[in-house]
Amino acid sequence: MNGEHKIGQRHRDRLALIYLRQSTAAQVREHTESTMRQYALADAAVCLGWDRSQVLVLDGDLGLSGRSMALRSDFKEVVSKVCGGEAGLVFVLEASRLSRNSADFQRLLEFCQVTDTLIADADGVYDLRDFNDQLLLGFKGTMSAVELHVLAQRMQEAKMAAARRGEL
């Protein structure tokens, strides 16, 4: 994995948090491969040196949108464990799974920086104390928010076009 050298024993002495999320219940039902890939991150954390007892899988947010942390109790638990210094690594399939809300995403990145908590996704391991890693994850978070905006705009335009045709 890209960036594996960033993982130190100080990280392995704390929890590896495996955060799972898909936006809707339909996605959870229909995209089972994504769910299985997310659960497999626990094995990846073990391969990166974490003891299985130090790997915590948080899957309570499956089927919940990442637009807000209001209903996402497991995202709140990630933030709590990072802020409390209990987490050495937050592992997600894609960084955008953490949050589709830029403020929530950026806040988590800041907490990770302060507590020396790493973030890992399929692309690699990120140390938020490193400016380049901050920049890359910040960009990923911004792109996630842009993606949501574009999707919402497309849906709205499609509804308006259908309404103009009298189909609504």
Side-chain angles (χ1 to χ4, degrees), residues 94-114:
E94 300 166 358
S96 67
R97 302 277 174 149
L98 288 166
S99 183
R100 295 285 192 164
N101 178 298
S102 291
D104 291 345
F105 187 78
Q106 292 300 327
R107 201 169 300 116
L108 178 60
L109 297 185
E110 289 174 15
F111 295 148
C112 287
Q113 179 184 17
V114 169

Side-chain angles (χ1 to χ4, degrees), residues 75-145:
F75 182 76
K76 290 177 186 175
E77 185 168 355
V78 167
V79 171
S80 175
K81 291 199 178 302
V82 166
C83 288
E86 299 174 61
L89 175 77
V90 177
F91 212 157
V92 291
L93 193 59
E94 300 166 358
S96 67
R97 302 277 174 149
L98 288 166
S99 183
R100 295 285 192 164
N101 178 298
S102 291
D104 291 345
F105 187 78
Q106 292 300 327
R107 201 169 300 116
L108 178 60
L109 297 185
E110 289 174 15
F111 295 148
C112 287
Q113 179 184 17
V114 169
T115 61
D116 187 22
T117 301
L118 304 172
I119 293 181
D121 67 10
D123 294 327
V125 178
Y126 307 94
D127 180 347
L128 280 302
R129 297 171 309 151
D130 179 279
F131 177 76
N132 289 316
D133 286 356
Q134 287 177 30
L135 184 64
L136 185 55
L137 278 181
F139 184 70
K140 284 185 171 193
T142 299
M143 290 307 299
S144 175

Side-chain angles (χ1 to χ4, degrees), residues 20-77:
L20 285 70
R21 192 187 65 74
Q22 285 171 276
S23 297
T24 66
Q27 285 181 342
V28 175
R29 276 192 317 275
E30 296 167 14
H31 303 136
T32 56
E33 186 64 34
S34 175
T35 308
M36 290 187 318
R37 289 178 60 216
Q38 290 182 71
Y39 277 113
L41 295 175
D43 295 328
V46 171
C47 289
L48 290 172
W50 268 266
D51 186 82
R52 178 79 56 188
S53 66
Q54 289 293 98
V55 177
L56 177 60
V57 175
L58 299 164
D59 61 3
D61 292 349
L62 283 170
L64 298 176
S65 170
R67 288 183 187 208
S68 166
M69 68 184 272
L71 298 176
R72 296 187 302 135
S73 60
D74 278 359
F75 182 76
K76 290 177 186 175
E77 185 168 355

